[in-house]
Amino acid sequence: MKLRPTRRGRTRAVLAVLLSLAVTVVLARPAEAAYAQIEGSGSTWSEVILQQWIADVDANGMKVTYNGGGSSQGRKAFGQNVTDFGITEIPYQGKDEFGNVDSAGNREFAYMPIIAGGTAFTYQLTVGGKLVKNLRLSGETIARIFTNQITNWNDPAIKKDNNGRVFPSLKITPVLRSDGSGTTAQFTTWLDKQYPAIWRGFFGRSGLTSYFPRKGAAIAAAGSDQVMNTIASASGNGHIGYVEYSYPVNKKYPVVKVLNKAGYYVEPTQYNVAVALTRAKINQDKGSDKYLTQILDGVYSATDPRAYPLSSYSYMLLPTGSKDQRMTTAKRQTLADFMFYSLCEGQSKAGAYGYSPLPLNLVQAGFDQLKKLKTADPKVDITGRSVTRCNNPTFVAGNLGKNKLAEVAPQPAACDKQGAGPCGGGTGTAPTSTEEASAAAGDDKATAAPGTTPAAGTPGAPAGAAVPGASGAVDPVTGAPQAATATGGGDVTAVPVELLAGRAGDERVFGALAAVELVALVVVPGMLAALLRKRRRNA
C-alpha cells in the first residue's frame, strides 16, 4: 500500500528543496570583489595629504598603500610595472641628468593633477634663546644661499630683506634632498627661470634637476620628512631647507616669507597658493603626452600682492592601458573611487594640512582622465562622477567660473611690504600676520595692502564691489576667472560624496538575502493558506 504524503509533509518538502536551491545558487556564485588593493609610490611633497586620503577611504573598503620614496623613484617604479600608480611633481623627462631613461616605457598612462601647494623654506634660527619665526628673504637671497654665495646669517642681503634687522654671526647650512625629488625639480626650475646667472654658474648648465648639487656646507637627507627633522633637530641651528609647506605646518615650525613681484613677503598658505596658480598655464592639448602638465612662468612673476611665487601642482600617473599587466576591474574601480574622493571631498582637507585645493578646471579635467579607466575596462563604474557631485572649497554654487578660494584670499598686512615691518607674528602656524593685523585693527580692513582695493569677497572690500569673473567662465588655459558672461555650466551643488561601487563581498551577501527573500515569497503564502484550511476543518 502506497502512503500519500500529508499536506504538511508536502509543504516541508517544497521548502527544503527551495532552500537547497537557494544555498546552491549562492555558493555557486563567485565572490566578485568590487575593490582590490592598489599600490603606489613617489612624491614626498604630496605624501602628507595622500596618506590622509588613504586613511579616509579605508572605512569604505578601499585598501591603498603608498611609499613616498621621491618623485624619481615613483616614475621609475610605475614605468617598470612595480606599482599600480605613481605620484610626481614633474612629468617624465625622457632622460634624467645622468643619461638614464626617464619614461614609462610601453605602459600607457595619463597625468592627473591631484593637489596644489607651495614649496616652502623652513629653517632654524635661534637668537637670544628664542626661535626666529618671522624671517623674510627675497628670491635672489634664497638663490644665493643655496648656491653658496651667502654663507652666514649676518649677511647684508639678509639684513636688507628684514628691514635692517641684524642676525648673529652663524654659519648657514643648506639642507638638500639626497634622493631624486620632485621638490628639488620644482625648486631648481624656479631658480633656472628666475635667477639663471646665479643658478647656471653653480649647476654648470641650464635647466632643472631632481638631484640638487651638494657643495660647500650643504648636507642632504632622504625625503621631505627627514629634511624637516634634520632642520628641527637639537643640532639644527642655522639650517635651512626646502619642503612642501605641509611639513613645517604639521610640525608647527616657521617658514620663510618669500618676496613676490608685487613687493610683499608672503608665506605659502592655501589662499596665496590659489591666487598664484590662477596664473599657471595648463597644457590643453589632449593629443599630447604632456596633457594637463603645468607651465609656471606666470606664477613666478605674478603681480598680485597675495601670490606665493613657488606654487605648483602634483600629479598622479594613472594607468590607462586596456592590457595593463597590473590592472584588473577591481583595481581600476578602487582607483576610480579613490580619486573621486580625492578630487572632491578630499580637497576640503587641503588647507588644514598645508596644501591648496585644485581649482575647478583641473577637477573637471581630472574627471575626464578617470573616464579612461572605463574606456580601458567597460565594467568600471564611474556613474555620477562630475563636478556637480563635488564638495570642493574652490567651487561656488551656481557659478562654475569662480575660484572661490582665490577670490576670498586676504590681502597681506602692511608690515609684510618690502621696506616695512617685519611683522611680529610667526609663520608656519595660524594665525598669519594678515589675521593678526586684522585682529589688532578690530575689523577686516587691515587685511588690505596699502594703496590697493581688496577684491570683492575679501576682508576690507568695499560694499558692492564687483567680483572679477563673478558671472564669467574659467579660463581653460590659466584657470583664472574671466569677466565674460556665464557659459551655462550648470549649478554646482555641494552634496556628500557617495561611493557608487559596492565593497568587497557585498554582492555575495546581498545575493544570499535575495535568495532567502525569494523562498519566503514562494513558500510563506502557501503555508499560511494550509494553516487556515486546517483551522477551518478543526472548527
Side-chain angles (χ1 to χ4, degrees):
M1 179 177 172
K2 201 178 214 180
L3 295 174
R4 296 184 63 187
T6 64
R7 193 180 299 271
R8 179 180 295 177
R10 287 198 300 271
T11 301
R12 286 177 176 173
V14 171
L15 179 59
V17 170
L18 288 172
L19 284 173
S20 175
L21 286 172
V23 171
T24 301
V25 169
V26 172
L27 293 179
R29 290 192 58 189
E32 297 176 357
Y35 293 141
Q37 180 171 302
I38 54 174
E39 301 171 359
S41 68
S43 165
T44 60
W45 191 91
S46 309
E47 187 173 11
V48 173
I49 191 66
L50 201 71
Q51 294 292 4
Q52 179 58 49
W53 292 341
I54 289 172
D56 291 344
V57 301
D58 185 74
N60 295 101
M62 283 178 272
K63 302 300 179 185
V64 184
T65 64
Y66 183 76
N67 173 35
S71 290
S72 297
Q73 180 271 337
R75 293 194 306 277
K76 182 177 180 180
F78 181 82
Q80 294 178 345
N81 290 293
V82 174
T83 54
D84 300 309
F85 66 91
I87 305 291
T88 181
E89 274 70 68
I90 60 170
Y92 282 110
Q93 302 296 298
K95 287 188 177 181
D96 65 16
E97 48 267 69
F98 306 112
N100 301 316
V101 174
D102 181 25
S103 75
N106 295 323
R107 193 172 190 188
E108 297 177 55
F109 74 97
Y111 294 109
M112 185 168 70
I114 59 168
I115 197 68
T119 298
F121 301 93
T122 188
Y123 63 93
Q124 184 182 156
L125 179 58
T126 302
V127 177
K130 292 185 177 181
L131 182 64
V132 174
K133 295 184 178 182
N134 59 347
L135 180 67
R136 314 189 316 186
L137 297 175
S138 68
E140 181 178 344
T141 302
I142 291 170
R144 292 176 62 196
I145 285 174
F146 282 90
T147 56
N148 299 329
Q149 294 184 23
I150 293 177
T151 58
N152 196 291
W153 286 105
N154 66 2
D155 191 279
I158 297 176
K159 175 184 175 181
K160 179 181 177 182
D161 286 335
N162 292 274
N163 200 26
R165 183 179 183 184
V166 179
F167 295 108
S169 177
L170 177 66
K171 183 182 75 172
I172 296 175
T173 303
V175 184
L176 316 172
R177 286 285 292 274
S178 62
D179 52 327
S181 160
T183 315
T184 300
Q186 288 177 331
F187 179 30
T188 58
T189 299
W190 174 75
L191 288 171
D192 186 65
K193 296 281 188 179
Q194 295 295 297
Y195 304 99
I198 296 174
W199 167 244
R200 295 172 188 177
F202 173 79
F203 186 41
R205 58 183 186 275
S206 64
L208 63 84
T209 177
S210 297
Y211 298 87
F212 203 103
R214 182 177 170 184
K215 301 179 182 180
I219 60 176
S224 296
D225 54 345
Q226 290 307 310
V227 170
M228 186 72 250
N229 291 338
T230 301
I231 292 168
S233 68
S235 59
N237 194 24
H239 291 25
I240 183 172
Y242 54 91
V243 292
E244 204 285 326
Y245 184 54
S246 62
Y247 288 87
V249 165
N250 292 334
K251 206 171 185 70
K252 294 181 171 55
Y253 224 73
V255 299
V256 170
K257 286 186 178 180
V258 179
L259 183 66
N260 64 23
K261 296 299 182 183
Y264 284 86
Y265 293 92
V266 294
E267 63 179 297
T269 65
Q270 61 172 326
Y271 301 103
N272 295 340
V273 168
V275 169
L277 287 174
T278 62
R279 307 309 304 161
K281 289 187 178 179
I282 305 299
N283 186 323
Q284 294 292 313
D285 182 2
K286 292 188 176 181
S288 168
D289 62 355
K290 294 292 191 293
Y291 174 56
L292 294 185
T293 58
Q294 60 197 344
I295 301 172
L296 299 173
D297 300 60
V299 174
Y300 303 152
S301 58
T303 56
D304 191 299
R306 302 164 294 178
Y308 183 75
L310 282 89
S311 300
S312 57
Y313 299 111
S314 186
Y315 307 99
M316 171 177 279
L317 302 173
L318 188 74
T320 58
S322 59
K323 297 181 180 179
D324 192 295
Q325 67 185 55
R326 286 192 60 92
M327 301 308 292
T328 62
T329 299
K331 280 190 173 186
R332 290 188 180 96
Q333 189 66 63
T334 305
L335 195 52
D337 280 1
F338 176 51
M339 289 317 300
F340 177 52
Y341 173 82
S342 302
L343 288 171
C344 295
E345 192 80 7
Q347 298 291 315
S348 66
K349 297 189 175 182
Y353 285 89
Y355 295 89
S356 186
L358 295 179
L360 174 68
N361 63 323
L362 291 186
V363 174
Q364 288 176 311
F367 286 132
D368 288 340
Q369 299 293 59
L370 287 181
K371 291 176 184 177
K372 295 178 180 179
L373 295 174
K374 187 171 182 65
T375 301
D377 185 348
K379 291 187 240 178
V380 174
D381 180 11
I382 58 170
T383 307
R385 271 56 164 191
S386 70
V387 293
T388 59
R389 299 185 66 82
C390 257
N391 278 336
N392 182 308
T394 67
F395 299 176
V396 177
N399 191 338
L400 298 186
K402 289 185 180 181
N403 182 332
K404 180 181 178 182
L405 206 65
E407 289 185 0
V408 301
Q411 297 287 343
C415 52
D416 281 325
K417 186 170 178 58
Q418 189 176 25
C423 299
T427 57
T429 57
T432 64
S433 57
T434 299
E435 292 165 332
E436 287 185 338
S438 176
D443 58 30
D444 291 333
K445 293 182 180 179
T447 62
T452 67
T453 300
T458 64
V467 178
S471 60
V474 67
D475 188 319
V477 177
T478 68
Q482 293 178 321
T485 57
T487 58
D491 292 350
V492 173
T493 305
V495 296
V497 171
E498 177 186 356
L499 297 173
L500 300 179
R503 286 174 285 181
D506 282 354
E507 292 185 7
R508 187 180 182 91
V509 172
F510 289 112
L513 290 175
V516 171
E517 288 176 352
L518 176 63
V519 169
L521 288 171
V522 172
V523 174
V524 171
M527 292 178 64
L528 289 174
L531 288 171
L532 288 172
R533 284 195 295 270
K534 182 177 179 181
R535 286 184 179 179
R536 290 194 192 100
R537 286 198 302 270
N538 291 338

